[in-house]
Amino acid sequence: FFMMAPTSLPTLVLIILGGYPEKGKGFSLKEGGDRNVALVSSFVDVELLEGFLNASEWEFVVDTPLPDPAILSSVSAVVESSISNLRYTKNATLYQYLYTGFNDSDLNTIPSHFYVANVHQSEISIAEYVISAALHWNINIPKMDSEFRGCTWRSSPPGNTCHRLGPHKELNGQTIGIIGYGHIGEGIAIRAAAFGMKVVATTLHPPATPPSPLQWLKDDSANPELMSVSDFVVIACPLTSSTQGLVNTTLLKHMSQTAVIINIARGPIIEELALYNALKNKQIGGAVLDVWWHSLAWYNTGRTGPASWPSAYRFDKLDNVIMTPHSSSLTAQAHLEAYREGAANLDALATGRSLDNVVRNRTDV
């Protein structure tokens, strides 16, 4: 789909292992020299990944169906293949995600001989999503448009029924709080400050002096303070054993009745029923939810019932919720950046350079 090829490519030979690859996916085989072999998920666009390689050549082996053990023993990197396949790749040293978020539990099941790395492709796309959500909440142009269309251009009685709408809010002077200040949080903070917003944040290990443009950056013990002073609260921390259920009934009580929570991280960081009740009872102003508790359940075509819903609770019936299907990071630019960063790590591995965005080091050396 999105392909950026280098100006020249080495001669490639396609090899088929147990069936033909899908269009745009397959295997590249370089001739001669040491072999760099990567096991990749069938969802990975191999041509795009290969097009971003600058300093190395790789054979890409798709994991469906699972190749012969002799081939798997030569694998030195794995790109998003199922973790259950890693027991066959005993000589591999890199497990590469092509997205930012990952389950903390995965780190405990990925064998110790792997470095684990992700990519930071979505800082811009998610930051823009958050700012657009805050602007929409304050201004709501679609509502203005709808009401204006419905009250004028009348050619018969009773004629126009328009009235001046009430004032909307400005971001300027409002406060946005970020729980989990990292790369994405920084992108949000820079854009929020450009609108004249005050920015506060929490993180596990804050520096002594908060970086610009933050008013303050404190540890997680300050989350109640952050919730109480913020007009918008953004959840941007990873889902780990310590952050699951972090935003619970107690913490939500610190938010004002007009404050809005925006979750672009992972659904279970917020207690599902606690948020539903806070919204239903108008305890808080609202929510913008891009992530859910039943992850990607809505792609179960034809299924019905709560197990196939994004949540067990009917958030879709609440008028103070904006809902999107985990799409805040889905831009063409972010897609390309993910592959560029993944390819850069393959280059680094093949040439003995340091890996970027390592989230877990090898522990067997």
Side-chain angles (χ1 to χ4, degrees):
F1 178 37
F2 303 108
M3 186 173 71
M4 182 179 294
T7 56
S8 62
L9 285 172
T11 301
L12 303 179
V13 178
L14 291 181
I15 60 176
I16 307 300
L17 302 176
Y20 290 92
E22 300 174 47
K23 183 179 180 181
K25 300 178 174 67
F27 318 100
S28 66
L29 180 63
K30 66 178 183 177
E31 300 177 0
D34 293 332
R35 300 169 69 200
N36 297 313
V37 182
L39 180 68
V40 301
S41 164
S42 59
F43 296 104
V44 171
D45 186 334
V46 171
E47 291 186 52
L48 181 58
L49 185 61
E50 187 173 52
F52 277 110
L53 293 171
N54 289 317
S56 62
E57 297 176 8
W58 286 79
E59 298 177 34
F60 293 104
V61 181
V62 177
D63 64 2
T64 306
L66 197 63
D68 183 90
I71 295 175
L72 291 173
S73 67
S74 67
V75 166
S76 54
V78 178
V79 183
E80 290 196 1
S81 183
S82 171
I83 292 174
S84 64
N85 293 333
L86 301 187
R87 64 184 182 273
Y88 303 113
T89 57
K90 299 186 183 299
N91 295 313
T93 56
L94 170 65
Y95 188 89
Q96 178 69 53
Y97 289 101
L98 294 179
Y99 51 88
T100 301
F102 57 88
N103 292 327
D104 185 56
S105 60
D106 289 352
L107 299 184
N108 298 323
T109 55
I110 295 174
S112 61
H113 56 86
F114 281 93
Y115 293 100
V116 182
N118 66 352
V119 294
H120 293 162
Q121 88 286 8
S122 54
E123 300 168 26
I124 294 174
S125 56
I126 292 181
E128 290 184 355
Y129 173 96
V130 168
I131 297 302
S132 70
L135 285 167
H136 175 78
W137 196 272
N138 276 1
I139 303 172
N140 201 345
I141 290 177
K143 181 181 179 182
M144 294 181 183
D145 175 272
S146 176
E147 292 188 4
F148 190 45
R149 288 172 186 269
C151 73
T152 189
W153 277 283
R154 303 287 180 84
S155 57
S156 60
N160 291 351
T161 58
C162 299
H163 59 278
R164 184 175 293 277
L165 299 177
H168 58 263
K169 295 181 179 179
E170 298 178 354
L171 292 184
N172 182 52
Q174 290 189 312
T175 298
I176 189 167
I178 303 167
I179 294 180
Y181 189 77
H183 291 274
I184 291 173
E186 181 181 10
I188 294 168
I190 290 170
R191 288 158 180 79
F195 278 90
M197 300 187 80
K198 301 173 184 175
V199 188
V200 298
T202 57
T203 189
L204 280 178
H205 305 291
T209 302
S212 178
L214 300 187
Q215 301 279 312
W216 54 257
L217 177 59
K218 302 179 181 180
D219 64 27
D220 285 352
S221 66
N223 283 337
E225 179 186 2
L226 181 147
M227 300 287 267
S228 67
V229 302
S230 297
D231 298 285
F232 295 94
V233 174
V234 182
I235 308 301
C237 57
L239 176 61
T240 67
S241 57
S242 61
T243 62
Q244 183 165 350
L246 173 69
V247 180
N248 54 22
T249 298
T250 301
L251 199 55
L252 287 168
K253 286 180 179 178
H254 289 277
M255 293 179 66
S256 74
Q257 285 189 302
T258 59
V260 177
I261 193 164
I262 302 174
N263 192 1
I264 46 80
R266 287 292 184 268
I269 295 170
I270 304 177
E271 285 190 359
E272 188 175 9
L273 181 57
L275 179 60
Y276 178 79
N277 285 336
L279 291 164
K280 183 180 179 181
N281 298 329
K282 309 296 184 183
Q283 175 188 326
I284 64 175
V288 179
L289 303 176
D290 185 53
V291 289
W292 299 88
W293 294 268
H294 299 171
S295 182
L296 306 183
W298 50 91
Y299 289 124
N300 294 326
T301 305
R303 291 186 59 187
T304 60
S308 65
W309 299 346
S311 167
Y313 302 98
R314 296 302 301 266
F315 285 88
D316 60 309
K317 300 292 185 181
L318 303 179
D319 62 4
N320 54 350
V321 178
I322 296 174
M323 307 179 358
T324 55
H326 202 159
S327 54
S328 60
S329 66
L330 297 184
T331 66
Q333 295 92 330
H335 180 76
L336 291 174
E337 179 61 18
Y339 277 79
R340 187 196 67 77
E341 293 183 21
N345 263 356
L346 292 179
D347 276 337
L349 183 68
T351 57
R353 292 182 284 111
S354 297
L355 300 168
D356 288 330
N357 303 324
V358 174
V359 296
R360 196 205 71 185
N361 283 311
R362 293 181 65 177
T363 58
D364 68 332
V365 291

